[in-house]
Amino acid sequence: MTNPLRDGRLPKLSRNRQTVMGLAVSAAVIVPWLVVHVAAVFILPLSGVWVWLAPVLVATQTLLSVGLFIVAHDGMHGSIAPFRPGLNRGIARFCLLIYAGFSFEALAREHMRHHARPGTADDPDYNFENPNSFVAWYYGFFRYYFGLKEFGILTAILAVYVFVIGAPIVNLLVFWALPALLSSLQLFYFGTYQPHRPIAGEPFEDDHRARSVDLPPVLSLLTCFHFGYHLEHHHHPNEPWWRLPAVRRVSLVAHNGEARAA
């Protein structure tokens, strides 16, 4: 039997059009993040009437931080600017640096392992010891990817912010550290734990050992920039995040057509 998700077809974009779209979409995430970051950390005082604006800024920056990581993820797959590996890596490195000082090389290497052996002992994103515990999955992920190198980079960045530029420590914690932490929880829950955790009575469809979080496109965007459409991502890893809703529509049409034929 053919796999309808894999056989679903979406019209391909030309390299140049996908590159233009990829760069525009990436800028639409990166530029607002930088604007909010600079304004919240360096300009707006965390006192008086501005305190009431803080939750809005934290929520905004959390969502944009999710976007930063997803843009970096697309850079790992080369789907920001097809056949321009240097540009893909450069954008991804920058996003990961301002997100939390992560290493592009380490994340990309382990992410490719995840795609090659999902849900196996060689999958760095899967937790065999506690397969149904989100806390255990998240702790293992954080411990695995945030090592001494990442801690050193982040410490150096914070030292420059505080001692060279003079950024208020409280503003850094509230408007940079807190959104980064919240976004990592959001990313991991909707983009890794929910799609890959085992569920009794719901076997995976194939060796990708992934499922998609069934949310309408608006909620899918707000939760994880469509990374919750995870089975589609595993079947079409070179499709950028902003194409995943269309990929899912094609996949569902193909799946429903095969079900009727059977």
Side-chain angles (χ1 to χ4, degrees), residues 110-132:
E110 299 307 311
H111 187 64
M112 293 306 113
R113 281 181 58 205
H114 164 70
H115 272 272
R117 301 175 182 86
T120 70
D122 293 325
D123 182 356
D125 295 347
Y126 191 87
N127 192 305
F128 274 95
E129 296 178 356
N130 298 283
N132 291 301

Side-chain angles (χ1 to χ4, degrees), residues 16-241:
N16 289 338
R17 185 177 180 186
Q18 183 168 328
T19 296
V20 171
M21 286 291 295
L23 294 176
V25 170
S26 298
V29 174
I30 297 169
V31 172
W33 188 95
L34 290 171
V35 170
V36 174
H37 179 76
V38 171
V41 172
F42 297 104
I43 299 174
L44 300 180
L46 196 56
S47 60
V49 295
W50 295 110
V51 172
W52 299 102
L53 185 60
V56 176
L57 292 175
V58 169
T60 300
Q61 208 63 338
T62 297
L63 178 62
L64 291 173
S65 294
V66 171
L68 279 183
F69 195 91
I70 296 301
V71 170
H73 164 266
D74 276 0
M76 297 176 196
H77 287 285
S79 58
I80 298 174
F83 299 96
R84 292 172 173 82
L87 185 56
N88 280 283
R89 288 194 298 269
I91 293 173
R93 281 197 183 98
F94 180 71
C95 287
L96 291 174
L97 179 66
I98 63 177
Y99 176 73
F102 281 119
S103 165
F104 169 79
E105 285 73 18
L107 279 175
R109 180 181 64 249
E110 299 307 311
H111 187 64
M112 293 306 113
R113 281 181 58 205
H114 164 70
H115 272 272
R117 301 175 182 86
T120 70
D122 293 325
D123 182 356
D125 295 347
Y126 191 87
N127 192 305
F128 274 95
E129 296 178 356
N130 298 283
N132 291 301
S133 171
F134 171 73
V135 173
W137 277 58
Y138 180 73
Y139 174 73
F141 173 83
F142 195 86
R143 185 180 61 180
Y144 191 84
Y145 285 104
F146 196 78
L148 290 176
K149 179 181 178 181
E150 289 72 28
F151 180 78
I153 292 173
L154 194 57
T155 300
I157 294 173
L158 291 174
V160 171
Y161 266 63
V162 174
F163 299 112
V164 177
I165 306 177
I169 295 177
V170 174
N171 288 48
L172 278 171
L173 292 176
V174 172
F175 298 118
W176 189 16
L178 181 58
L181 179 61
L182 293 175
S183 66
S184 70
L185 289 166
Q186 188 172 328
L187 277 161
F188 195 77
Y189 182 78
F190 289 102
T192 298
Y193 177 69
Q194 284 283 39
H196 288 291
R197 71 183 179 97
I199 299 178
E202 295 186 21
F204 294 117
E205 294 193 13
D206 53 33
D207 289 341
H208 288 285
R209 295 179 177 86
R211 66 177 63 85
S212 290
V213 180
D214 190 19
L215 291 174
V218 172
L219 289 180
S220 174
L221 173 65
L222 294 176
T223 55
C224 207
F225 279 66
H226 304 310
F227 201 49
Y229 295 153
H230 210 71
L231 184 56
E232 287 77 16
H233 168 59
H234 271 260
H235 284 159
H236 305 276
N238 294 324
E239 290 286 0
W241 69 265

